[in-house]
Amino acid sequence: MFSGFASTMEPRSRGLVGLESAPKTEPTTPCSFPSDCEPHREAGRTFRHFQNEPMPEEQSTQIKALGELAQILSEVEDGLSLPGDQQLAPLLESIHPSDLAELLSAAPDEARLRVFECIPDQEDAALVLSRLDEGVKEELLEQLPVPRVAELMRDLAHDEAADVLAELSDEDKNQVLAELDADEAADLRELAAYDPDSAGGLMTDEFVAVPVSYTVRAALMQLKTGDEDWEAVTDVFVVDDQNHLVGVVAIEDLLRARMPDPVRELMESKPVCAKVDEDSEEVAQRAAHYRLTLMPVVDENEELVGVITHDDVTEALGEEASEDMYRLAGTLDQHPSREGLVDRLLARFPFLLVTIVGTYLVAVVIELILGDIPEFDILRFVPMIAALAGNAGIQASTTMIRGFATGEVQADDFRETMGREVSLGLLTGAVAALVQLLLLVAFQESLELKIVVPVAQASSVVAASFFGTAIPFLCWRARWRIGSREIRIDPALAAGPFITTLNDVVSTVIALMLAVKIEDLFL
């Protein structure tokens, strides 16, 4: 599928068909950055391909197939076996690769490989592989033989193939590259070498570029006879004889122009572009700000080396938004509904440990101010118990709210999600209780405190995890009708006050009740 732009081109000059024969031109102004440039294209000027949109009957077939496959995977999870390949293949053929990737990401491990190998269309299978969650993709790649992986990568765009390549071990990576054509392997190595969080990590090297000396006729001829696997052809980039980016022309402008017109007269000079080593978040924000369908990427020599497509910009912004939101809540979860409990605990606990140490200092300050009054010992540690429970509740609610926004958490996932969050709360509470016990053993003499505080803490964290999951879900599902108007509650706004108040009340009640019970036992 990746035939390259021309056999005579260097890897960095993809898309420059006929450049060697073009007359030499004087160096022109290279691309510039936001301080002195104007946006070159808005997303609204792209073509819409209505012929690819499914008709209502096709949509109905897809929905039915999705429901049947979901039911099959649910039965496998309950211990039943998969149906035969002859039954699966027609079903999988009716499902869009993105929907199939989402189902497979949540499918039981024992069914995933079998279902994937039953996908009848090779290109659909490649797209499904590229759109799986990273952890699931890595597991599936470990199960697939090297020739099969290479076969799938031939049907992917270069940027997606490079992402798949990054999931492989060094040994498997070399074996897969050895299965590919030399030029294709070299291109993928170059793309995979860029930092995933840089513009180079987002870009693809499949784009259209023409020499600045071309006419409209020559440019259209290149489009007609060039590489049919270009990922996006909404814009044609214009370069000088040193491959410096000097302008961009919208494809519709080329189609409307007269054949003898020079491309130089149609192009927009100084297009917005990105440096190959720029941070991907900054690049994505710039592309979204200028509403670019394609953003060109240049290297340190101002040579055009790739483009970033609109879908990659959207994906990058979504990932960064999720990452920022989770970090704000004190967790590094990325796909919390599909990660193991231990991984999620390791992601969250460093932030909770800061809370434990900080609030223990609060207990020390209270003791210094009020003195050592045995009757009020437990009150010194209530802020620690409440704060840690509050953090656990906010982390759980953030996971839920972001899951609603991304579609990772659905209406029928409540029981499963609640089970995961409460289990994580039990694990987190147990570890937090152990840390607190060690602190109390080291710095406190009261046996009652060594019993009450850890037990109250573990119980409060479990309760907070429950509230942090249940309240956003209830807000999300709540509906009220006033006349013809439907009133809904935004969980992002409403959940916080409810969770914080409930956590404070419940953790305080648990701590005081345990203190009273333990005191009665010792008396």
Side-chain angles (χ1 to χ4, degrees):
M1 187 172 180
F2 302 106
S3 56
F5 285 79
S7 59
T8 58
M9 291 291 102
E10 291 296 328
R12 286 188 177 276
S13 302
R14 295 181 63 84
L16 309 185
V17 178
L19 181 59
E20 296 158 338
S21 60
K24 298 292 182 180
T25 59
E26 291 297 322
T28 48
T29 305
C31 75
S32 55
F33 293 86
S35 59
D36 61 348
C37 63
E38 297 178 356
H40 69 267
R41 189 65 52 232
E42 293 190 1
R45 298 182 64 182
T46 60
F47 291 118
R48 295 189 64 197
H49 299 286
F50 292 102
Q51 67 270 24
N52 292 329
E53 295 183 1
M55 300 298 289
E57 292 183 3
E58 293 173 337
Q59 289 178 335
S60 176
T61 303
Q62 289 181 25
I63 293 172
K64 182 179 179 181
L66 269 172
E68 290 181 18
L69 182 58
Q71 180 63 32
I72 289 171
L73 294 176
S74 176
E75 291 173 354
V76 170
E77 204 166 19
D78 293 337
L80 299 179
S81 59
L82 277 171
D85 295 358
Q86 292 182 348
Q87 181 179 346
L88 278 176
L91 194 64
L92 299 175
E93 193 173 17
S94 304
I95 302 176
H96 191 280
S98 294
D99 295 326
L100 189 50
E102 185 175 355
L103 273 178
L104 285 182
S105 293
D109 295 341
E110 61 272 18
R112 190 176 294 127
L113 178 62
R114 168 86 181 284
V115 172
F116 180 81
E117 290 291 45
C118 285
I119 300 174
D121 186 83
Q122 173 74 11
E123 291 189 10
D124 283 352
L127 288 174
V128 169
L129 178 64
S130 69
R131 295 171 188 179
L132 290 171
D133 290 342
E134 290 185 6
V136 175
K137 185 193 302 180
E138 186 177 355
E139 292 177 7
L140 187 60
L141 286 170
E142 290 176 355
Q143 298 174 300
L144 292 172
V146 168
R148 173 65 169 149
V149 175
E151 184 182 351
L152 291 166
M153 288 178 64
R154 291 190 185 97
D155 287 314
L156 287 174
H158 274 189
D159 56 336
E160 294 177 337
D163 292 340
V164 172
L165 198 65
E167 301 289 339
L168 300 174
S169 64
D170 291 340
E171 182 180 355
D172 290 343
K173 188 182 302 183
N174 292 331
Q175 291 180 6
V176 168
L177 290 173
E179 295 277 338
L180 303 175
D181 295 337
D183 290 342
E184 188 175 340
D187 290 338
L188 292 181
R189 275 197 186 92
E190 187 173 358
L191 284 176
Y194 291 114
D195 184 343
D197 295 325
S198 69
L202 287 181
M203 75 178 189
T204 179
D205 59 359
E206 296 172 307
F207 59 92
V208 187
V210 300
V212 70
S213 60
Y214 267 23
T215 62
V216 171
R217 183 188 304 276
L220 291 176
M221 184 61 65
Q222 176 171 319
L223 285 171
K224 182 177 180 180
T225 60
D227 192 331
E228 63 179 11
D229 294 322
W230 287 322
E231 187 168 347
V233 201
T234 56
D235 293 313
V236 175
F237 298 98
V238 183
V239 296
D240 61 19
D241 54 314
Q242 280 84 41
N243 198 29
H244 295 148
L245 177 64
V246 296
V248 63
V249 182
I251 187 69
E252 58 262 39
D253 292 340
L254 279 179
L255 294 173
R256 292 170 183 162
R258 296 179 305 167
M259 290 297 179
D261 288 347
V263 169
R264 181 195 295 271
E265 294 181 1
L266 300 175
M267 74 179 188
E268 295 184 16
S269 303
K270 298 182 180 180
V272 177
C273 59
K275 287 284 190 181
V276 73
D277 56 354
E278 270 192 275
D279 181 74
S280 59
E281 182 177 7
E282 295 177 3
V283 172
Q285 289 173 348
R286 190 188 311 156
H289 175 72
Y290 290 114
R291 300 183 180 181
L292 303 181
T293 306
L294 295 175
M295 171 172 270
V297 181
V298 298
D299 63 12
E300 64 277 4
N301 299 318
E302 303 292 339
E303 293 182 17
L304 180 62
V305 293
V307 297
I308 299 174
T309 59
H310 186 266
D311 58 326
D312 290 328
V313 168
T314 303
E315 184 178 353
L317 289 175
E319 290 177 355
E320 292 294 341
S322 295
E323 182 179 331
D324 292 344
M325 190 171 181
Y326 289 136
R327 283 179 174 173
L328 186 64
T331 175
L332 294 179
D333 293 349
Q334 289 300 308
H335 296 284
S337 67
R338 297 163 190 164
E339 294 176 0
L341 288 180
V342 175
D343 290 335
R344 296 184 65 192
L345 174 65
L346 293 175
R348 291 185 179 191
F349 195 72
F351 303 100
L352 298 180
L353 187 61
V354 173
T355 304
I356 293 175
V357 174
T359 50
Y360 186 83
L361 295 177
V362 173
V364 173
V365 171
I366 294 175
E367 184 178 7
L368 291 175
I369 294 174
L370 298 182
D372 186 9
I373 306 176
E375 291 80 2
F376 298 129
D377 269 353
I378 186 60
L379 294 179
R380 293 188 285 121
F381 292 93
V382 167
M384 173 192 286
I385 296 169
L388 193 59
N391 277 6
I394 292 299
Q395 288 176 342
S397 67
T398 301
T399 297
M400 290 292 293
I401 292 168
R402 188 57 188 167
F404 298 151
T406 61
E408 192 170 329
V409 177
Q410 300 294 330
D412 54 355
D413 294 337
F414 178 69
R415 290 185 180 180
E416 182 182 353
T417 304
M418 177 64 74
R420 280 197 307 267
E421 291 301 326
V422 171
S423 298
L424 181 60
L426 281 168
L427 189 58
T428 305
V431 177
L434 179 60
V435 173
Q436 288 175 329
L437 180 59
L438 294 175
L439 286 172
L440 293 169
V441 169
F443 300 107
Q444 299 292 326
E445 296 180 359
S446 170
L447 179 60
E448 293 179 28
L449 286 179
K450 296 171 186 176
I451 297 174
V452 172
V453 173
V455 174
Q457 187 66 83
S459 304
S460 298
V461 168
V462 173
S465 298
F466 174 82
F467 294 133
T469 304
I471 291 176
F473 194 89
L474 292 175
C475 291
W476 185 49
R477 295 289 291 168
R479 302 284 191 280
W480 288 276
R481 281 203 170 275
I482 300 179
S484 61
R485 186 178 179 185
E486 184 180 73
I487 306 297
R488 303 177 63 180
I489 299 177
D490 185 351
L493 298 176
F498 285 115
I499 294 170
T500 302
T501 303
L502 273 174
N503 285 343
D504 288 345
V505 171
V506 171
S507 57
T508 302
V509 169
I510 289 174
L512 295 181
M513 288 182 64
L514 279 173
V516 171
K517 292 295 183 181
I518 294 297
E519 187 177 2
D520 290 344
L521 288 176
F522 278 89
L523 293 176

